[in-house]
Amino acid sequence: MAHVGFIGLGNMGLPMAANLAAAGHAVSGFDLAAANAEAARAKAITPAESAAAAVANADFVVTMLPAGPHVRSVWAEVVASAPKSAVLIDSSTIDVDSARAVHALATEQGIASLDAPVSGGVGGAEAGTLTFMCGGDAEVFARATGPLEIMGSRLIHCGGAGAGQVAKLCNNMSLAIAMIGTSEAMNMGLKLGLDAQTLFDVMSTSSGATWALTHHCPIPGPVAASAANKDYKAGFSGSLMLKDLSLAQEVAKTADSASPLGALAMQLFRMHVNAGHGDLDYAAIVKTLAGETA
């Protein structure tokens, strides 16, 4: 079994680290929030006093942090403290420039690294069914499959440094656009007198079918596991979707890639968050599109 240093024990990081510990790995965890550290202890994760202490003897280091500046800061500490033989894995969703910068930082210290953002939300983190989109050398990807396979059910090597982040942002932009279209269509159908289940039965088996509809139907009723049936308790919040859409627009500008629907989706999710729905699941965009406020 390996020694894993895990930094960032929030809604996603804690269940990911807990799955590693449950599989028999020795996991040292660090989080700035004391409550998260105590929750980690209850999951057989050894709390560390600092990021440096968490990674001191690690075979693998996993970071799950809010944004690029946090990853840059933590990795500056990690690369100075982790063994040269370690593999550093960042599973945060961050800007591509930061992902490439921390890859370069690790390379300068002779340490292998991957950017490996995830899809699947809190439910996927708890169940160990996340999809990992990985950027970095193929050989490093192969070395990291052991711990990644415990936390996820699908691992995809997307290319070189930063490629995992690019794939994640493309995916989430597409998801946001699909959810907006699905929400608009279902709102219209309901206003015109259709039953939610009937409309779902038509759309889910016709050309209007999308993953957003069949897995995260924004209207209560048709999909039991959807956040719509749990008062829109967030599996993946509207605020996080807005963050990802903003990062996607940065990438689109850098690549000179036309993204009119992505830009509109960002504007609509910003309106959604400003309306007081940011802490709800991203499927709650249906509320904003229907004119509801918090």
Side-chain angles (χ1 to χ4, degrees):
M1 291 291 108
H3 182 181
V4 182
F6 207 110
I7 302 167
L9 300 169
N11 291 338
M12 291 291 291
L14 179 57
M16 291 166 68
N19 284 335
L20 291 170
H25 293 296
V27 183
S28 298
F30 175 72
D31 195 286
L32 289 174
N36 289 351
E38 285 308 305
R41 192 189 302 276
K43 299 288 186 179
I45 299 161
T46 303
E49 295 183 355
S50 66
V55 307
N57 299 302
D59 300 300
F60 299 95
V61 174
V62 183
T63 52
M64 178 58 89
L65 300 165
H70 304 98
V71 176
R72 287 177 184 252
S73 176
V74 167
W75 275 48
E77 185 175 359
V78 165
V79 297
S81 305
K84 300 298 183 184
S85 58
V87 176
L88 310 187
I89 304 167
D90 179 47
S91 288
S92 319
T93 298
I94 61 174
D95 61 286
V96 176
D97 285 346
S98 288
R100 290 174 175 162
V102 296
H103 269 285
L105 185 64
T107 298
E108 288 172 4
Q109 296 298 318
I111 303 177
S113 61
L114 288 177
D115 57 286
V118 300
S119 178
V122 174
E126 292 172 344
T129 58
L130 295 169
T131 293
F132 283 86
M133 294 153 270
C134 303
D137 291 343
E139 181 271 334
V140 177
F141 172 71
R143 287 173 59 191
T145 56
L148 293 180
E149 285 176 342
I150 293 168
M151 297 182 288
S153 59
R154 191 168 188 202
L155 317 179
I156 303 170
H157 184 231
C158 300
Q165 295 294 347
V166 172
K168 171 68 184 288
L169 296 177
C170 290
N171 178 77
N172 279 21
M173 182 174 71
S174 177
L175 176 62
I177 293 167
M179 180 56 80
I180 289 168
T182 296
S183 296
E184 286 187 356
M186 298 204 80
N187 277 339
M188 183 170 70
L190 294 178
K191 285 191 173 184
L192 291 170
L194 287 179
D195 173 75
Q197 186 65 53
T198 299
L199 182 54
F200 176 84
D201 289 344
V202 170
M203 291 177 62
S204 64
T205 57
S206 303
S207 55
T210 64
W211 193 92
L213 170 68
T214 58
H215 288 74
H216 292 167
C217 178
I219 299 298
V223 177
S226 171
N229 291 314
K230 304 170 186 176
D231 296 323
Y232 296 97
K233 180 181 178 181
F236 180 65
S237 73
S239 293
L240 287 176
M241 181 60 87
L242 176 58
K243 168 198 163 187
D244 289 359
L245 287 167
S246 300
L247 292 174
Q249 285 305 293
E250 291 177 14
V251 171
K253 289 177 183 177
T254 300
D256 193 24
S257 178
S259 181
L261 289 180
L264 179 58
M266 181 181 70
Q267 293 171 15
L268 290 171
F269 268 93
R270 180 172 289 123
M271 181 173 68
H272 174 68
V273 170
N274 290 341
H277 298 311
D279 290 337
L280 299 178
D281 191 82
Y282 84 107
I285 187 73
V286 71
K287 290 175 168 287
T288 297
L289 295 170
E292 295 183 31
T293 56

